[in-house]
Amino acid sequence: MAAAAGAFSLREVLSAFQAAVTERREVLLGPYLRGWRGLVRFLNSLGAIFSFISKDAVAKIQIMESYCGGERQEEYRTLQSMVAYELASGLVDIQRRSEHPDSGCRTVLRLHRALRWLQLFLEGLRTAQEDSKTSTICTDSYNASLAAYHPWVIRKAATVAFCALPSRNAFLEIMNVGTPEEAVIMLGDALPHISSVYGITEELYAQHKLLNLP
Ligand code: 1Q0
């Protein structure tokens, strides 16, 4: 089923994350950010209660887009080139956020952690019983990932917002890929690409000891 113009389609998000990984296992920032833009569009369609989340995601996407379209855009073509460039040029705050509060490395790290949540959430959605609550799947995925990095007040606000999520079937329908059954198949196809982006990033960040950037 074709998605209406401007509407969210899981397929577009999937193809962006798929296109983000090259044969040499590099992560291309252009498609990566396109994937995130698609997710934010989806989040916005869920209602104003999620706007504090989408605002933060958009702010981070914009920081990255300005690097990718800026003077040093060659350095920001892939995640690998970004890490090499920022580290070699001393552009990353390692101990405390000070001179370089919005480095590409720390900004992507926040999105990367959220990608882990997405991975768990989509896997939960895919494998759950038909009558499962999306809010429970979402809360469980959040508690097993992002929550560890958020202060109490954000955890609380996030948990309250999750209660506004539609039922599993309604959720699968707004993904715009056909029936809930078709959406489940699509999720099965989508997940390996998201996992691959996540795995490559995690490995790269671990290698350079960047997993705890302030
Ligand atoms: C469907 C429900 C969406 C639930 C999203 C779960 C994430 C909750 C995160 C709460 C973030 C609150 C705002 C602020 C957080 C920041 O403090 C924090 C750290 O940044 P900093 O600069 O203070 O160090 N920021 C983050 O952790 C980044 C959070 C980004 C969250 C992006 C979520 C995008 C979600 C998209 C909806 C996907 C729907 C999935 C189904 C679609 C099918 C493919």
Side-chain angles (χ1 to χ4, degrees):
M1 190 167 84
F8 172 84
S9 167
L10 173 63
R11 208 165 263 140
E12 285 165 32
V13 172
L14 157 64
S15 72
F17 282 113
Q18 186 171 3
V21 178
T22 71
E23 273 175 18
R24 297 165 57 196
R25 293 186 84 239
E26 291 169 320
V27 177
L28 296 167
L29 278 169
Y32 181 84
L33 296 172
R34 219 171 48 241
W36 275 107
R37 281 272 178 203
L39 289 171
V40 165
R41 242 192 0 261
F42 182 79
L43 189 59
N44 285 337
S45 75
L46 294 176
I49 192 166
F50 296 99
S51 61
F52 77 105
I53 303 176
S54 70
K55 271 196 194 122
D56 185 70
V58 166
K60 289 178 168 53
I61 296 167
Q62 278 172 345
I63 291 172
M64 293 314 302
E65 285 175 344
S66 74
Y67 289 132
C68 292
E71 269 176 30
R72 309 306 297 253
Q73 50 182 271
E74 263 312 297
E75 318 283 3
Y76 288 88
R77 200 178 72 84
T78 70
L79 213 53
Q80 286 75 3
S81 62
M82 174 191 85
V83 166
Y85 165 69
E86 289 196 342
L87 285 179
S89 315
L91 295 173
V92 186
D93 287 345
I94 305 286
Q95 304 289 352
R96 214 164 13 90
R97 253 184 124 183
S98 53
E99 276 168 68
H100 307 287
D102 292 328
S103 67
C105 287
R106 73 89 60 190
T107 305
V108 167
L109 177 62
R110 270 62 190 174
L111 295 174
H112 169 67
R113 289 170 177 165
L115 205 61
R116 173 73 185 145
W117 161 79
L118 184 69
Q119 203 185 358
L120 295 175
F121 177 61
L122 297 184
E123 182 60 19
L125 209 55
R126 190 178 77 87
T127 53
Q129 303 286 328
E130 226 173 89
D131 57 355
S132 315
K133 282 191 154 174
T134 316
S135 57
T136 309
I137 302 171
C138 189
T139 307
D140 290 349
S141 316
Y142 176 74
N143 286 338
S145 57
L146 264 182
Y149 305 101
H150 290 160
W152 183 86
V153 61
I154 288 185
R155 290 204 303 271
K156 192 76 202 158
T159 317
V160 169
F162 296 160
C163 295
L165 287 170
S167 71
R168 178 174 177 272
N169 271 4
F171 201 90
L172 291 173
E173 265 164 33
I174 45 180
M175 284 182 185
N176 249 322
V177 283
T179 63
E181 292 74 23
E182 286 170 319
V184 164
I185 294 171
M186 188 79 189
L187 281 178
D189 295 342
L191 271 160
H193 300 298
I194 292 172
S195 301
S196 161
V197 171
Y198 181 83
I200 296 171
T201 311
E202 181 76 8
E203 203 180 300
L204 177 72
Y205 270 59
Q207 205 180 342
H208 293 279
K209 301 192 168 49
L210 299 175
L211 285 167
N212 293 308
L213 289 179

